[in-house]
Amino acid sequence: MKFNSLREQVSNRSQVYSVQMLRGIACLAVYFVHFFSDQKLLPVSKFLVKASEYGYLGVQVFFVISGFIIPLSMYRNKYDIQNFGSLFKRRIIRIELPYVASIVLFVLLKFIGYIAYGTQKTFDIDWSTVLLNIGYLNVFWGKEFINHVYWTLFVELQFYIYIGLFFGAIINKRFWVRHVAYLVIFGLNYWWVGSLLFHSHILIFMVGIFAFQYAVKIIELPEMLIGSVIVLFGNYYWTSNILHLDNSTPIALASIFALGFIFLVKQRWSILDFLGKISFSLYLIHVPVTLVLLPILEPYLHRPYYILIYKLGILICTIGISYIYYENIEKPAMSLSRKV
């Protein structure tokens, strides 16, 4: 059975390539919603414009991936609550160093854009907001994220804290222990209100957690499927009736797609594997890089077909720059984090 092949990969400590490829898909989706949901592209590509409007679902896919791969990594490394400090240090090095470097790059590219295209007499940047973005302190000071993709890193940081504290209960084979832990997590987050906070996304992370539990034989297939259905229905109710959002169904479908991709896709596609490898770097820097590249020619292009070709060319350039960022920033941070 195809579902069992995932268990074989996990038991053999093999890399789960479907997860890496899924990262590439999710990152491309986020990129497309930022730069291809543009009415200027109509009518040359109505499908592309319409599809890109759902690119935000790439974030939900990332949450499912985190729910699966982070506890899996902890399980393989025999994590214990006493190792919480080391887990957090590795997170700081692995994630926060590239994140802070991307903030520096954001300021640099904004300055380059000001020199090249700016019409203002002063370099317009709020330095207090920039500094508060380091450590996500801007959230508590009521300041915005200078790059709007950063909010997801704040949510992921909270997930690291929760999974570090509750990991022992999550891998416990006793049914009631696991489910009491779930109720505690849900209860704590119910009181902690805010769209940037973990409680608004916990049910999507849970889909990945159920997949992890099945992969390491803590639960069996019926419990994984029933649990996933319950949390997706719960998320549907939460988003539609509590948050009053109209994207409940797309979020559920994106979560199901992510779960199915992790379990069922076994063929390795080189391009998706490559995009998955650099996905974090691409995710961090695609907005400032693209915003610097777009004004070079876009103001002079008036035909939708030419604009589409130009944007695809910028996408390729951004991927190339992201690879350089990966090799020189993210990859060294990964190596350093393994030494902690």
Side-chain angles (χ1 to χ4, degrees), residues 7 41 43 60 73 81 90 104 130 135-136 165 172 176 182 199 209 211 216 221 249 277 281 284-285 287 304 310:
R7 281 184 164 179
L41 295 176
Q60 312 303 320
S73 175
I81 189 65
R90 286 195 294 272
V104 175
V130 170
Y136 314 107
L165 295 175
N172 196 300
W176 70 270
Y182 304 154
H199 82 283
I209 289 175
V216 298
L221 186 61
T249 299
K277 183 173 72 172
S281 294
L284 283 176
I285 71 171
V287 171
Y310 184 54

Side-chain angles (χ1 to χ4, degrees), residues 228-249:
S228 297
V229 169
I230 290 173
V231 296
L232 287 177
F233 269 115
N235 189 72
Y236 182 91
Y237 177 82
W238 176 266
T239 54
S240 60
N241 293 285
I242 305 300
L243 301 181
H244 302 292
L245 301 175
D246 59 0
N247 58 353
S248 306
T249 299

Side-chain angles (χ1 to χ4, degrees), residues 81-115:
I81 189 65
Q82 295 178 348
N83 306 125
F84 181 80
S86 296
L87 174 75
F88 205 71
K89 288 177 184 176
R90 286 195 294 272
R91 154 79 195 203
I92 295 296
I93 296 170
R94 168 68 181 89
I95 303 297
E96 305 307 324
L97 285 184
Y99 165 63
V100 172
S102 75
I103 293 176
V104 175
L105 181 64
F106 177 91
V107 174
L108 177 62
L109 291 176
K110 189 174 179 66
F111 180 72
I112 291 173
Y114 162 72
I115 295 297

Side-chain angles (χ1 to χ4, degrees), residues 182-201:
Y182 304 154
L183 291 174
V184 170
I185 294 173
F186 298 152
L188 289 174
N189 284 289
Y190 180 79
W191 292 326
W192 199 9
V193 179
S195 61
L196 292 178
L197 301 180
F198 185 56
H199 82 283
S200 297
H201 314 280

